[in-house]
Amino acid sequence: MDMFFAYLCIATATPLFLWLENRKIALASIPPIMIMWIFFGLYMTSSLSPAGHTFMIAFFAINVILAHIAAFLIYGLPFIRKRFSSR
């Protein structure tokens, strides 16, 4: 759970960092962040069913994967294009 909370804190600040590079991705990341905060609140109040725990973990994993894809599209792909186009 510590890892989930640490990621939640980092993910909450992510739209601020992405705002200048890509506003669409920054805005699209806000609803999943809100859902993760809701799940965290439900987890802390012990009102989450076993199916809810499974969904929370699955949603966390999907969000991490999507965050890495977004980071690659915003930062990695332009770097690769720039590097190979200069040859």
Side-chain angles (χ1 to χ4, degrees):
M1 192 61 186
D2 293 338
M3 187 173 151
F4 176 79
F5 184 71
Y7 179 76
L8 184 57
C9 291
I10 293 168
T12 301
T14 301
L16 298 173
F17 298 120
L18 294 177
W19 188 253
L20 295 176
E21 284 87 10
N22 197 324
R23 288 191 173 131
K24 288 181 184 179
I25 293 177
L27 290 173
S29 67
I30 292 172
I33 291 168
M34 291 172 52
I35 292 171
M36 286 195 319
W37 275 109
I38 291 168
F39 272 113
F40 180 72
L42 291 173
Y43 177 82
M44 293 307 290
T45 60
S46 300
S47 59
L48 204 58
S49 67
H53 280 281
T54 303
F55 186 71
M56 182 180 76
I57 292 168
F59 190 75
F60 170 74
I62 290 168
N63 199 0
V64 168
I65 291 167
L66 290 176
H68 281 80
I69 291 170
F72 175 75
L73 291 175
I74 292 172
Y75 301 112
L77 199 56
F79 177 76
I80 292 170
R81 286 182 182 156
K82 182 179 174 183
R83 185 158 180 122
F84 285 110
S85 67
S86 65
R87 289 184 178 189

